[in-house]
Amino acid sequence: MTPLKIGIVGVGKIARDQHLPALEASPDYQLVAIASRNAALSGVANFLSLEAMLEAMPELDAVSLCAPPTVRYAQARQALAAGKHVMLEKPPGATLSEVEDLARQAQAAGRTLFATWHSRHAPGVAPARDWLAGRTIRGVEIEWKEDVRVWHPGQAWIFEPGGMGVFDPGINALSIATAILPQAFHLREATLQVPENRQAPIAAQLSFSDAAETPIRADFDFRQTGPQTWDIHVDTDAGRLTLSKGGSALYIGGERQPTGDEQEYPALYARFAKLVASGESDVDVAPLRHVADAFLLGRRESVEAFHDD
């Protein structure tokens, strides 16, 4: 297959760390352009906006949107209207209705829309899902704690409405949980800690259950220092399963299990290429729906001001 000519919109930390290396290593793509107000890349065409990129480069097949979620809907609409396939960095949008509308637009345009969840491609996730299938789940504990200063330095948008605050990383845990647990689960209670000088939570505690009333609890925190914590523990009738390090390490009964190499973003781009080739879309909003439920049902607590310095 002829490589897809692709452009990236928004060249921040996640694009530099993950998207650009994945594209460089993939035979499925030719990166031909970027659109960014704050970055430039040698060897490709550089633009200040998606609009300018689309106007100057009609030969583009696809765009990958890595800008903050609050602007992703307008960008995706523009790209789809221009006849491009669209890949969305997580979370796929600021609201459920935005993403659902984009799915309708992609279908009407006959173009692929891919709402990505990179953590689902961590090497321990698929074997964890397979091991849990058919087992009785007795309880789930999710601990997802990281340092916002490390992962989003100077990015004030993450604490603005639509930025999601601690749910920006927490949604990764929810994307894994919705992929590996054999039954759907639903939010029962939530507490959100919001700094007095911010609009979005810096920490959250969530309580879910499924049809069997299985207790599923999650603790998210953006104030972690030192080692970061990305763990999911699932107690079953056959013992405990643990996904650690964001899904890259799998333990069953306390013993480390063999898994493949870390290939989250290469796997996303391979999936996108297959979707384009088959004329399909993949728009799963289950993790985003849980976040929306948390904002709807969550009890808010004011905590001390947060300063990113």
Side-chain angles (χ1 to χ4, degrees), residues 98-110:
E98 286 182 352
V99 183
E100 290 165 349
D101 185 53
L102 290 176
R104 289 190 291 268
Q105 291 182 47
Q107 184 177 19

Side-chain angles (χ1 to χ4, degrees), residues 124-157:
V125 172
R129 180 193 63 228
D130 293 344
W131 190 84
L132 291 171
R135 301 191 189 278
T136 300
I137 310 299
R138 293 177 173 164
V140 181
E141 295 288 339
I142 302 171
E143 189 177 11
W144 220 258
K145 300 179 179 180
E146 62 182 54
D147 189 344
V148 65
R149 295 180 178 90
V150 172
W151 300 99
H152 296 279
Q155 296 179 10
W157 62 264

Side-chain angles (χ1 to χ4, degrees), residues 199-305:
Q199 299 296 313
I202 199 166
Q205 298 77 47
L206 312 176
S207 178
F208 304 89
S209 65
D210 58 19
E213 298 297 326
T214 306
I216 301 169
R217 298 183 178 88
D219 187 4
F220 301 154
D221 204 318
F222 238 163
R223 300 166 295 190
Q224 181 92 326
T225 58
Q228 311 288 274
T229 304
W230 301 300
D231 296 337
I232 298 177
H233 307 284
V234 185
D235 290 313
T236 79
D237 56 345
R240 167 170 276 203
L241 176 146
T242 294
L243 275 171
S244 189
K245 300 179 180 179
S248 63
L250 173 63
Y251 299 84
I252 297 176
E255 295 189 6
R256 179 78 178 259
Q257 304 297 305
T259 58
D261 296 331
E262 188 69 60
Q263 292 286 319
E264 289 185 14
Y265 279 83
L268 287 180
Y269 276 102
R271 171 73 172 150
F272 188 36
K274 290 180 180 178
L275 288 169
V276 170
S278 63
E280 299 177 300
S281 289
D282 182 351
V283 188
D284 178 12
V285 296
L288 184 59
R289 182 173 288 110
H290 285 306
V291 172
D293 287 350
F295 276 101
L296 180 65
L297 294 180
R299 179 173 59 88
R300 287 162 172 76
E301 294 180 347
S302 180
V303 297
E304 66 181 59

Side-chain angles (χ1 to χ4, degrees), residues 8-21:
I8 284 185
V9 182
V11 184
K13 181 175 173 58
I14 192 65
R16 292 192 301 269
D17 291 353
Q18 301 292 347
H19 289 260
L20 293 177

Side-chain angles (χ1 to χ4, degrees), residues 4-128:
L4 295 167
K5 292 183 173 65
I6 193 169
I8 284 185
V9 182
V11 184
K13 181 175 173 58
I14 192 65
R16 292 192 301 269
D17 291 353
Q18 301 292 347
H19 289 260
L20 293 177
L23 285 170
E24 183 178 3
S26 174
D28 296 324
Y29 299 92
Q30 179 186 0
L31 178 63
V32 296
I34 68 165
S36 175
R37 291 178 298 175
N38 304 306
L41 187 66
S42 62
V44 304
N46 289 263
F47 301 94
L48 294 177
S49 69
L50 170 62
E51 183 178 13
M53 184 171 74
L54 292 173
E55 182 177 353
M57 304 196 72
E59 68 271 25
L60 275 174
D61 298 306
V63 296
S64 181
L65 301 182
C66 304
T70 50
V71 300
R72 229 168 263 159
Y73 173 70
Q75 291 178 342
R77 279 195 57 152
Q78 191 174 14
L80 289 168
K84 312 307 177 187
H85 306 290
V86 176
M87 177 167 160
L88 303 170
E89 173 59 62
K90 69 85 196 171
T95 68
L96 287 165
S97 58
E98 286 182 352
V99 183
E100 290 165 349
D101 185 53
L102 290 176
R104 289 190 291 268
Q105 291 182 47
Q107 184 177 19
R111 291 296 178 264
T112 291
L113 180 68
F114 183 26
T116 67
W117 302 105
H118 65 83
S119 291
R120 287 181 173 176
H121 294 272
V125 172

